[in-house]
Amino acid sequence: MAQFDLDRQQLGGTDMGETVTMMENFKKAQDIGKRTSALLQELSSITIEGVAADGKVRIFVDGQQRPKGTEIDENYLASVTAEDLNTAITTAMQDANVKSMEQMEEKMQALYTEVGLPPPEKS
């Protein structure tokens, strides 16, 4: 007569408990994938503004740091040197990037909290 060890039933060479854990991890990974996809979609619909030169230069990006547009005050454009304009555009781009990254990090922190993972380390 065959003897059954009820504490360690084998399924294809893997403990039943390990199989259940693997399935739970797989479901969790699928859930994280779906939530990440939804988060990226949400971020792509957000418009973030970076400003410079007292608001006369404005750069717009989405929540994924993709450029959406630029606005430069005509009076400012007519009265500024090329070097100053380049500096203002770069400053506005950096401002938009920082704000966009902050939005993304905030939303990623919330996602990690929702799924019970430790927050990613900041770079």
Side-chain angles (χ1 to χ4, degrees), residues 60-71:
F60 302 95
V61 298
D62 70 12
Q64 294 183 25
Q65 296 85 45
R66 293 182 300 211
K68 292 185 84 172
T70 303
E71 288 183 10

Side-chain angles (χ1 to χ4, degrees), residues 16 20 53-54 56 61 68 77 80 102 105 108 116 122:
M16 185 65 84
V20 170
D54 298 322
K56 294 178 178 91
V61 298
K68 292 185 84 172
L77 186 59
V80 70
E102 288 172 351
E105 286 177 8
M108 288 300 292
K122 293 188 178 190

Side-chain angles (χ1 to χ4, degrees), residues 16-108:
M16 185 65 84
E18 289 176 16
T19 301
V20 170
T21 300
M22 285 182 0
M23 292 300 290
E24 288 171 353
N25 287 342
F26 181 73
K27 287 179 82 174
K28 192 172 197 174
Q30 283 183 317
D31 182 45
I32 291 169
K34 288 178 186 175
R35 289 175 186 240
T36 300
S37 179
L39 175 63
L40 291 174
Q41 184 68 30
E42 179 185 348
L43 287 169
S44 70
S45 68
I46 296 171
T47 300
I48 298 163
E49 177 184 31
V51 296
D54 298 322
K56 294 178 178 91
V57 175
R58 300 171 12 168
I59 301 289
F60 302 95
V61 298
D62 70 12
Q64 294 183 25
Q65 296 85 45
R66 293 182 300 211
K68 292 185 84 172
T70 303
E71 288 183 10
I72 301 173
D73 181 273
E74 288 183 31
N75 294 326
Y76 177 74
L77 186 59
S79 67
V80 70
T81 66
E83 185 177 333
D84 289 340
L85 179 60
N86 286 335
T87 299
I89 291 171
T90 300
T91 300
M93 289 172 61
Q94 291 169 338
D95 184 44
N97 182 264
V98 167
K99 290 175 181 176
S100 180
M101 292 298 291
E102 288 172 351
Q103 280 271 347
M104 182 182 280
E105 286 177 8
E106 181 180 300
K107 292 190 180 295
M108 288 300 292

Side-chain angles (χ1 to χ4, degrees), residues 28 32 109 111-119:
K28 192 172 197 174
I32 291 169
Q109 291 279 358
L111 173 67
Y112 274 65
T113 300
E114 285 176 22
V115 297
L117 293 174

